[in-house]
Amino acid sequence: MTSARDAAAAVVDPEIRVITIDELGILRAVDEEPGTGRVVVTITPTYTGCPAMDVIRADIRRALAAAGHPDAEVRTVYHPAWSTDWISDTGRAKLAAAGIAPPAPRGDDTVVPLTLAVRCPRCGSPETTQISRFGSTACKALWRCRSCSEPFDHLKAL
């Protein structure tokens, strides 16, 4: 039997198929209730209106059932709000390898981030320009590299 934590952590984000919900920072906790063995998974959406949350909840339940944990509850919490700082280093590397520019770490809340340039995930050039504030999903913006001329998504920093 696969551990409940491993099963939930392996669920792939349905909008960004190269990264797991654990690497993206959506997975907050996986707890097994003593005595009953019932699993409770806690997740936080990347933003309140994220349309992928129903799919993520269903995928978690399916993964847990396949791993021998059929009695699972998935709880969604909104506080604290998800932050791009929760994306793991592995997740950032996977995003870049897939041609999606990962956001820079946000740091402390006293500084307001201002994105002047985003490095192209294909050639590394900082000579890029934003084409649209919205990319293939609402959490990404569409950019183009002026060096290699390739368009790419940039995951917005939150």
Side-chain angles (χ1 to χ4, degrees), residues 4 6-17 19-21 27 41 43 51-67 69 72 74:
D6 289 345
V11 171
V12 175
D13 182 81
E15 291 182 330
I16 309 172
R17 305 289 305 165
I19 189 170
T20 68
I21 62 170
L27 183 63
V41 176
I43 57 176
M53 292 311 293
D54 287 339
V55 173
I56 290 171
R57 282 188 281 274
D59 288 351
I60 291 170
R61 285 186 194 98
R62 193 171 13 265
L64 288 169
H69 307 280
V74 180

Side-chain angles (χ1 to χ4, degrees), residues 120 123-125 127-129 143-152:
C120 174
C123 74
S125 172
E127 297 297 319
T128 60
T129 187
W143 287 67
R144 178 181 296 127
C145 179
R146 291 191 299 255
S147 294
C148 70
S149 300
E150 289 293 322
F152 63 92

